[in-house]
Amino acid sequence: MMLFGRFTRRDINQGVEEWKNTEGAVLLDVRTREEYDDYHIDGSVNLPLHELEMLEKLVADRQTPLFVHCLSGSRSARAVAFLKGKGYSRVYDIGGLHSYRGETTSCSTLSHF
């Protein structure tokens, strides 16, 4: 059973752990491509907020668990509202990278949708 959605305070560190322990889940980074290239969580996929409509073509199963984050938590909140409006039922806003304590990586060619 997924418990993260029951917490009122978003904690990206706990959210990343939930993502790692959830089969078939996607860690979705909605920052710009430039921000993502600077640094990101390994295994995350980048789909900037203004391109979210493309997710329907890439993740057709609306039951797929989506753990959404950005830099501060503002864009991820908007993304979650948008995705829930599109019928995705297992969407979790895990907040912003500014409070992430884990390892990050950088690259310019991997993990973009």
Side-chain angles (χ1 to χ4, degrees), residues 34 54 65 69 81 84 86 93 97 113:
E34 294 79 17
M54 292 177 54
H69 71 280
K84 285 183 176 180
K86 292 291 185 179
D93 181 357
L97 277 173
F113 268 140

Side-chain angles (χ1 to χ4, degrees), residues 20-31:
K20 289 178 181 177
N21 294 315
T22 304
E23 187 175 337
V26 174
L27 181 61
L28 185 61
D29 186 328
V30 296
R31 296 176 302 147

